[in-house]
Amino acid sequence: LEVKPRERIGSRYAKRERALGRLPAVMYGHGETPAHITLDAHKALRYIHDGERVFTIKGAAGADQTVILKDLQFDYLGTNIVHLDFARVSLDEKIEARVPVKLVGESVGLKKAGAILLHPTLNVLVRCTVLALPDHVDVDVTELDVDHAISAAQVTMPEGVELASDPHDIVAAIQIAKEEVVVAE
């Protein structure tokens, strides 16, 4: 991403940047002073909506820097991104990041009447290098039957990635939907 430094900071100046099609951001970490930057909103949001989290920042003070997207700030309606937080990273250092869980396969238990697939944990915390950071973690649910569950500890992680979440978190489960009995008064 091509960035420009922001000379003035504050909500009034950030609003002016957004009106010009720019997106205000801050870049911090690695013992360096935080850098207030602005970048092209259309290009940055396209990458973010596509699921990108690791970027190379060009044009900031000094050489190109590798950063990871740490936080998004939304407007008061919660629909538009108004600010980004980036953390500087080295390509060979280990980081912790949240990765989405993707359920793969058709479960055996779903063929029974009234069975529903529960997906309570949508993402897991992993520890790996920036280069090994996966886009998502696949969880095979083909052998999952009624009244059984898959915990985070049972998820097979890609090469070089280790689980940092609670291993007892339930990633997927199948239960039979029970009908509520209404007692007449």
Side-chain angles (χ1 to χ4, degrees):
L1 294 172
E2 298 270 342
V3 300
K4 295 178 184 175
R6 284 192 290 161
E7 287 80 28
R8 296 181 173 166
I9 58 174
S11 59
R12 184 169 70 185
Y13 299 110
K15 186 176 180 180
R16 290 178 186 171
E17 290 288 334
R18 287 190 286 273
L20 294 172
R22 311 281 301 162
L23 188 60
V26 66
M27 186 171 54
Y28 55 85
H30 275 268
E32 296 180 39
T33 58
H36 298 277
I37 55 176
T38 180
L39 41 105
D40 181 71
H42 179 70
K43 185 182 276 188
L45 294 176
R46 188 179 72 224
Y47 286 128
I48 291 168
H49 289 304
D50 287 344
E52 296 293 329
R53 289 175 297 201
V54 179
F55 300 94
T56 301
I57 299 293
K58 298 178 183 202
D64 294 352
Q65 298 183 16
T66 304
V67 295
I68 188 166
L69 182 64
K70 274 295 190 186
D71 192 28
L72 302 170
Q73 293 176 10
F74 292 90
D75 63 359
Y76 66 97
L77 294 174
T79 54
N80 298 320
I81 297 173
V82 296
H83 192 273
L84 303 173
D85 285 3
F86 293 111
R88 295 179 184 102
V89 292
S90 173
L91 292 178
D92 56 348
E93 79 175 295
K94 286 201 172 193
I95 61 165
E96 287 188 355
R98 293 221 161 262
V99 177
V101 173
K102 182 178 176 186
L103 302 181
V104 179
E106 189 172 322
S107 177
V108 173
L110 286 178
K111 294 179 181 165
K112 295 181 179 145
I116 55 172
L117 176 65
L118 302 175
H119 188 24
T121 303
L122 299 177
N123 52 47
V124 291
L125 188 65
V126 296
R127 185 178 302 114
C128 62
T129 62
V130 175
L131 292 175
L133 186 65
D135 292 334
H136 62 275
V137 175
D138 289 333
V139 177
D140 185 18
V141 294
T142 53
E143 300 299 320
L144 190 59
D145 206 354
V146 175
D147 293 331
H148 288 88
I150 298 174
S151 67
Q154 295 171 307
V155 176
T156 305
M157 292 292 158
E159 184 74 29
V161 179
E162 59 189 59
L163 182 69
S165 290
D166 182 9
H168 301 293
D169 286 346
I170 301 298
V171 175
I174 294 185
Q175 293 180 349
I176 298 292
K178 295 179 182 163
E179 188 175 321
E180 257 187 59
V181 177
V182 178
V183 179
E185 292 183 25

